[in-house]
Each structure stands twice: as C-alpha cells, then as structure tokens.
C-alpha cells in the first residue's frame, strides 16, 4: 500500500494559523462512512447528530508548555528543547535544535539557572535524553519558563496559551494537543449531557509520533512511536454498558480512537481498565472493534492520521471529503475545522 494513495492538494492559505474567537463556531463536515454523503454544519450543532444513549469519549491529556529556550553552559550557544516524554525521575526524551551542538555531557541552562539539564543520551532525528535539575516542583518551573509547542506549520504567535488546551484538560503530559477536542466548550458539553449522551474520559499523552512524518513509500514499513495511555475502571465499565445497551461509542480525536482500539483489540471487543504504551497503526484494511464514529480535524496529506480516518470511512470517501473541504474553503489542521465520521 503506497503512501501516495493518501495524498491530496492543500493550498497553504487553508492551514489555520490562529484559533477562532469562539470554539464552537468552527465548521463541521458530517460524513456518512457507509455512503460517503456529506453535510455542511457548524460545530455548535453537533448535538443534532448525537443520540440519547451514545457515549462521547474525550482525551483529557494536558499539553505541557514543553518548548524551552536555553544556552549551552560552556559556549553560550542558543539551544531549543522540546520535551516529548518523561522517562525515569527527571529524565526526559526530547528533541533538540541544533542537535549537533548537544552531545552526551553537554549542560544547558534555562531561565538564568532556574532550570538546568545535562544530556545523558542520544538518538536519531535530533533526539536527546536530558536529565533536569531544579528547585521546587518541575511543572511549576516549566509553566514559568516554557512555551506551548505549536506545530511547525503554525507561524503565528498564540496570544492565549489556553486556546491550545481543551476545556477538560487535566492530566499533564502531552507534547501536542488532542486538537479535535478544541471545538468543545463547557456549555456545549452540558448541552450534550442534557440530551442523554454519556461523557467518558481516557488519557493518551501525545508524543513523538505527532512530529514524525511518514518517510517510507510503503505504508506497511512505517514505524509508529509508542504513546502512554490510561483508562479507568469507571470509563471501561461505562463503555461496556453503552455497547451492551446498543449505544454508539464516538471518539473525539485520533488519540481517543487509538486508545480504545488498542484495548478492544486485545480483549475481544471489550474494554478493561489499565495503562500502558500503544504503538497501534490503523490504516485501511483494519477492522474496528471499539468505536462506531469519530469527531476529528482535517489532517496532513500522506500522514498516519489520514490513513486512520480512511480505515474508518474508506479511502475514496475520505479523499472526496477532503477535496470537497478544499473547494469549500474549510480550515485545516490543529486550529481548523472538524469532521464527524458516523
């Protein structure tokens, strides 16, 4: 299966650079995964497509202000660090620029010494393991010194860092936002609950995979990076009850989808509580075992994410929907518009 099968033409001006003032004002494309039929909506009207007894599954991960700017202790050279994953204690897997200046033993200073780091390991693609030293609580120091790790295709400065968080974010640990959830407000969630729709939370911390392009020609040769997930007993029980009563399980975002499919695939379609690492790679031919529908944003050409939605709705339906979105001037990627595949 060639990666080029998932390509489409995207004019650069359709890449959303800033979020809308009101989260729920985003456009919503509703795609029937069986027929390919498309409807054009506004996100605030999504309740019209949800039914009593359905369950909406949200990823409550919280984005760390994970981009740090420091200097080498010996030369004063500027170094940019992106935290990706906490390993053990105060050691983190990171991306470093310029990587060639950071070798094992290199010390980096941030914020006039409020935070320091020593490189303890190297990996490919600019990856470095850094061990941090600080006084107090690490996340408080990070909140003081760090910036939001916006994707490289966003060139504008983000004035309000909370706009790159979902309103329900509560578990710190992500290097990027689960962006499908950015369209929800507290009031819209209350409206959804009032309709009799269940709300369930899972956690998946978005890591290196978000920043790694597909660099092979054959889809089957791509290596997915592992990401940490958690599902509570209460969430697992609710999902099983919804499934047994005939309700639909609708995930918000590819991260929630990958989490539920990881668990359901290992347990004959049932959900159990637990935590672990998932490197599940979903592409056409995959048989979904955990979800019935998904709310998601519009993804990059030839990405693992467009492969995932193609597995759910069919490659032809997805490419037709994406070409329609381009023609209708939808906004793409993290701060862009949404699609509901149902």
């Amino acid at each position: 299966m060639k990666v080029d099968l998932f390509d489409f033409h995207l004019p650069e001006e359709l890449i959303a650079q800033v979020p809308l003032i009101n989260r729920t004002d985003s456009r919503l494309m509703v795609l029937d995964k069986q027929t390919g039929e498309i409807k054009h909506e506004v996100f605030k009207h999504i309740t019209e497509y949800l039914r009593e007894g359905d369950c909406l599954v949200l990823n409550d991960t919280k984005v760390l202000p994970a981009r740090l700017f420091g200097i080498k202790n010996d030369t004063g050279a500027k170094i940019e660090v992106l935290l990706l994953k906490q390993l053990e204690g105060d050691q983190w897997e990171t991306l470093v620029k310029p990587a060639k200046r950071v070798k094992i033993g290199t010390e980096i200073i941030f914020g006039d010494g409020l935070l320091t780091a020593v490189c303890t390991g190297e990996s490919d693609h600019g990856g470095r393991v850094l061990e941090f030293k600080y006084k107090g609580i690490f996340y408080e120091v990070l909140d003081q010194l760090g910036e939001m790790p916006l994707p490289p295709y966003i060139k504008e400065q983000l004035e309000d860092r909370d706009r790159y968080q979902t309103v329900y974010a509560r578990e710190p640990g992500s290097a990027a936002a689960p962006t499908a959830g950015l369209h929800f407000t507290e009031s819209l969630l209350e409206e959804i609950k009032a309709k009799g729709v269940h709300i369930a939370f899972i956690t998946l911390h978005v890591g290196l995979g978000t920043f790694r392009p597909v660099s092979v020609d054959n889809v089957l040769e791509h290596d997915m990076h592992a990401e940490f997930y958690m599902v509570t007993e209460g969430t697992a029980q609710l999902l099983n009850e919804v499934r047994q009563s005939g309700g639909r399980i609708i995930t918000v975002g590819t991260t929630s989808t990958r989490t539920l499919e990881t668990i359901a695939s290992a347990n004959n379609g049932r959900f159990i509580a637990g935590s672990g690492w998932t490197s599940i790679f979903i592409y056409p031919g995959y048989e979904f075992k955990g979800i019935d529908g998904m709310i998601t944003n519009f993804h990059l050409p030839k990405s693992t994410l467009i492969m995932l939605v193609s597995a759910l709705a069919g490659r032809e339906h997805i490419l037709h929907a994406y070409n329609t979105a381009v023609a209708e001037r939808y906004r793409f990627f993290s701060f862009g518009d949404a699609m509901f595949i149902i």
Side-chain angles (χ1 to χ4, degrees):
M1 189 183 300
K2 295 295 185 182
V3 172
D4 286 343
L5 291 172
F6 302 92
D7 197 10
F8 65 95
H9 173 66
L10 177 66
E12 188 173 350
E13 67 267 19
L14 295 185
I15 300 174
Q17 292 296 315
V18 294
L20 298 180
I21 294 174
N22 298 315
R23 292 175 184 257
T24 60
D25 284 347
S26 296
R27 296 171 73 185
L28 175 69
M29 177 183 287
V30 182
L31 173 65
D32 186 314
K33 64 181 181 179
Q34 302 297 336
T35 67
E37 180 187 358
I38 290 171
K39 294 180 181 177
H40 301 287
E41 272 286 3
V42 180
F43 197 84
K44 67 182 69 171
H45 297 151
I46 198 165
T47 50
E48 297 175 14
Y49 297 89
L50 298 171
R51 305 174 190 155
E52 182 179 355
D54 286 346
C55 185
L56 204 59
V57 184
L58 309 174
N59 181 4
D60 64 3
T61 188
K62 189 172 186 178
V63 186
L64 299 172
R67 179 164 276 120
L68 292 163
F69 297 91
I71 58 171
K72 286 181 65 176
N73 188 32
D74 53 354
T75 66
K78 294 180 180 179
I79 303 293
E80 179 181 340
V81 172
L82 177 63
L83 304 181
L84 294 175
K85 181 171 68 179
Q86 189 171 11
L87 301 175
E88 184 177 346
D90 289 315
Q91 293 199 84
W92 285 75
E93 179 184 346
T94 71
L95 286 178
V96 171
K97 291 196 301 186
K100 63 183 179 182
R101 290 185 176 174
V102 179
K103 307 294 184 184
I104 292 176
T106 298
E107 184 178 17
I108 307 170
I109 299 174
F110 308 93
D112 296 325
L114 280 176
L115 182 67
T116 62
V118 174
C119 179
T120 60
E122 299 181 12
S123 59
D124 297 334
H125 309 297
R128 296 290 186 270
V129 176
L130 299 183
E131 183 168 4
F132 288 92
K133 294 182 180 179
Y134 52 91
K135 290 184 178 179
I137 299 172
F138 179 74
Y139 289 124
E140 291 182 356
V141 176
L142 191 61
D143 197 54
Q144 184 176 347
L145 298 179
E147 294 184 5
M148 278 299 184
L150 295 179
Y153 49 76
I154 294 178
K155 311 300 182 187
E156 298 290 329
Q157 284 288 103
L158 183 63
E159 294 182 6
D160 178 7
R161 66 162 60 177
D162 285 341
R163 285 301 275 109
Y164 195 58
Q165 298 278 22
T166 62
V167 297
Y168 46 81
R170 62 188 179 201
E171 297 289 343
S174 270
T179 52
L182 296 178
H183 306 284
F184 289 91
T185 60
E186 295 284 5
S187 59
L188 180 57
L189 288 171
E190 289 302 319
E191 186 180 338
I192 289 168
K193 284 190 240 181
K195 190 168 182 176
V197 177
H198 304 284
I199 303 288
F201 293 97
I202 60 91
T203 304
L204 182 136
H205 293 319
V206 188
L208 182 62
T210 295
F211 300 93
R212 179 178 285 170
V214 179
S215 56
V216 294
D217 293 329
N218 188 338
V219 171
L220 304 183
E221 295 174 359
H222 179 68
D223 183 30
M224 289 288 283
H225 198 79
E227 294 169 314
F228 183 76
Y229 71 87
M230 297 181 289
V231 175
T232 65
E233 187 66 49
T235 289
Q237 182 178 340
L238 173 59
L239 292 172
N240 287 323
E241 289 173 354
V242 168
R243 175 59 52 79
Q244 290 165 7
S245 64
R248 300 176 302 178
I249 295 174
I250 298 165
T251 45
V252 176
T254 57
T255 58
S256 298
T257 301
R258 293 177 67 243
T259 300
L260 294 197
E261 288 301 317
T262 295
I263 295 170
S265 295
N267 296 282
N268 297 316
R270 283 188 58 79
F271 301 101
I272 63 170
S275 62
W277 296 88
T278 179
S279 55
I280 190 171
F281 182 15
I282 297 174
Y283 50 85
Y286 177 85
E287 182 179 341
F288 284 83
K289 303 164 189 71
I291 74 163
D292 301 294
M294 174 170 54
I295 298 165
T296 186
N297 280 19
F298 290 90
H299 305 295
L300 279 75
K302 300 196 287 188
S303 64
T304 60
L305 304 182
I306 195 172
M307 295 173 196
L308 187 156
V309 295
S310 295
L312 183 61
R315 186 181 70 90
E316 294 80 7
H317 288 168
I318 287 295
L319 289 181
H320 173 66
Y322 270 55
N323 288 326
T324 300
V326 170
E328 295 291 332
R329 311 294 291 177
Y330 274 67
R331 302 165 74 248
F332 277 70
F333 305 164
S334 294
F335 288 141
D337 296 315
M339 173 187 282
F340 188 6
I341 303 171
I342 197 65

